[in-house]
Amino acid sequence: MARIFKFNIGDLDAFVLEEDYFETSLDDIFLQSSQSVLAKVFNKFNPKENCETGFNYLGLKVQGKLVLIDTGRGTGALIKGLYKLGYSPESVDYIMITHGDSDHVGGLSDFKYAKIVMPQKAFDLWSNHNSYNQLLSEFESAPFMGNVPTNKMAMALLARKKYVDFLQNLPKDKLILIKEDEWFLNNLKFIYAPGHRSDHFAIEISTDKQSLIHYSDAVRHPLQMVNPFVHSKYDSYPSLFSETLQNLCAYSKLKKAVQFCTHYKFPGFLN
């Protein structure tokens, strides 16, 4: 049964919904070159060691509005979690999108009444023909796709194309585009965080008392927090990923922020 974790970000009520998790080896997560680096740094590094990969999604109440960050793969687990918290899909007011991978936007159709909140930059990338093709290409060429069966690869690419169709058919009054450094509901702000994908963003949630930085997929394993030059097979641009991770870590330290990511073990906190 999917887990739920309730907590507070300052005076904001927040929660984490687990959609799923699976056990995988470090060998399946990290590039071979990074495994060599880890073996030199950590005497006990074992590429066959298993770790938990989570699918964790953050929600919170801001100014009386229910905000969900990403929608998972659309398996129904997040819907069940919302019901357990006393919410329905119809009660979600806003969905903030970190990037267009299917495990982040696959459940968009479950929230018919929610307004979609996304960065202007990300929307422009998906709306432009050339950058759209690049977004498809960078996903298809990510190292982990080399181990994905052809039929599943086709499904993953189709999901990205469906995302574009969803955005194109979305009524204007259901879409809120946020500019760089613009705050949404006074407490939330997108931070451009490329490397995992070109359209990838982190999110800052700040109150007078506390801040949280949602890394989304800008980190996948604790070892990357020790050495940001350790690259996973899931990132399209490893070098850019390292720069982004260093910047997010420095900003989190400056803000003394709680750190959260989608694919850490439940409930997804880095610190």
Side-chain angles (χ1 to χ4, degrees):
M1 183 177 294
R3 293 168 284 186
I4 299 171
F5 181 80
K6 294 194 288 185
F7 67 108
N8 293 96
I9 306 168
D11 56 358
L12 300 178
D13 293 328
F15 56 86
V16 178
L17 298 177
E18 179 186 57
E19 184 177 45
D20 197 3
Y21 76 92
F22 62 84
E23 295 284 337
T24 188
S25 70
L26 298 181
D27 187 43
D28 289 331
I29 295 175
F30 294 116
L31 295 172
Q32 190 62 48
S33 57
S34 291
Q35 291 184 42
S36 300
V37 171
L38 289 169
K40 292 177 181 178
V41 176
F42 301 100
N43 292 329
K44 295 183 179 180
F45 175 72
N46 177 10
K48 299 303 179 184
E49 178 184 334
N50 277 356
C51 66
E52 179 183 315
T53 294
F55 290 81
N56 306 304
Y57 301 90
L58 190 64
L60 65 159
K61 291 295 289 286
V62 184
Q63 298 180 18
K65 302 296 185 180
L66 182 57
V67 181
L68 189 62
I69 299 177
D70 293 331
T71 64
R73 295 172 293 177
T75 63
L78 298 191
I79 304 298
K80 291 179 181 177
L82 284 170
Y83 276 122
K84 287 181 180 179
L85 290 170
Y87 302 119
S88 69
E90 292 76 21
S91 62
V92 176
D93 296 291
Y94 299 106
I95 292 172
M96 298 184 74
I97 299 175
T98 62
H99 63 296
D101 283 7
S102 60
D103 56 335
H104 294 261
V105 300
L108 279 172
S109 61
D110 293 331
F111 303 93
K112 302 184 188 306
Y113 297 98
K115 291 186 177 182
I116 305 303
V117 184
M118 66 184 298
Q120 178 74 60
K121 183 180 182 69
F123 182 80
D124 291 344
L125 285 170
W126 283 103
S127 301
N128 178 276
H129 177 73
N130 291 332
S131 55
Y132 162 69
N133 285 328
Q134 177 61 33
L135 286 165
L136 294 181
S137 175
E138 69 183 24
F139 180 76
E140 189 173 9
S141 60
F144 84 99
M145 291 294 276
N147 297 322
V148 175
T150 304
N151 63 323
K152 288 190 176 182
M153 182 185 295
M155 289 174 62
L157 290 171
L158 179 61
R160 292 175 81 74
K161 294 175 182 177
K162 285 184 176 180
Y163 176 52
V164 174
D165 292 339
F166 175 87
L167 292 178
Q168 290 177 341
N169 293 317
L170 196 64
K172 289 185 178 180
D173 63 347
K174 300 281 285 185
L175 178 64
I176 300 174
L177 299 177
I178 304 295
K179 298 177 182 177
E180 269 188 84
D181 295 324
E182 179 182 354
W183 289 93
F184 177 64
L185 296 179
N186 296 326
N187 297 104
L188 301 116
K189 182 174 70 173
F190 286 107
I191 302 171
Y192 190 41
H196 177 64
R197 305 283 180 262
S198 297
D199 68 324
H200 184 270
F201 281 76
I203 294 176
E204 176 181 353
I205 305 169
S206 280
T207 69
D208 292 338
K209 298 179 180 179
Q210 191 179 32
S211 295
L212 180 146
I213 307 298
H214 188 323
Y215 282 55
S216 190
D217 287 12
V219 64
R220 185 167 286 269
H221 190 276
L223 291 173
Q224 292 176 299
M225 301 297 286
V226 179
N227 187 336
F229 296 96
V230 172
H231 301 137
S232 88
K233 297 179 180 180
Y234 294 90
D235 301 314
S236 295
Y237 304 102
S239 296
L240 191 53
F241 163 89
S242 295
E243 181 181 342
T244 287
L245 181 54
Q246 289 179 89
N247 290 339
L248 287 176
C249 287
Y251 187 61
S252 298
K253 184 176 181 179
L254 178 68
K255 299 284 290 189
K256 298 180 180 179
V258 176
Q259 298 161 295
F260 174 89
C261 83
T262 304
H263 296 301
Y264 253 36
K265 66 181 181 179
F266 183 83
F269 295 107
L270 310 177
N271 54 353

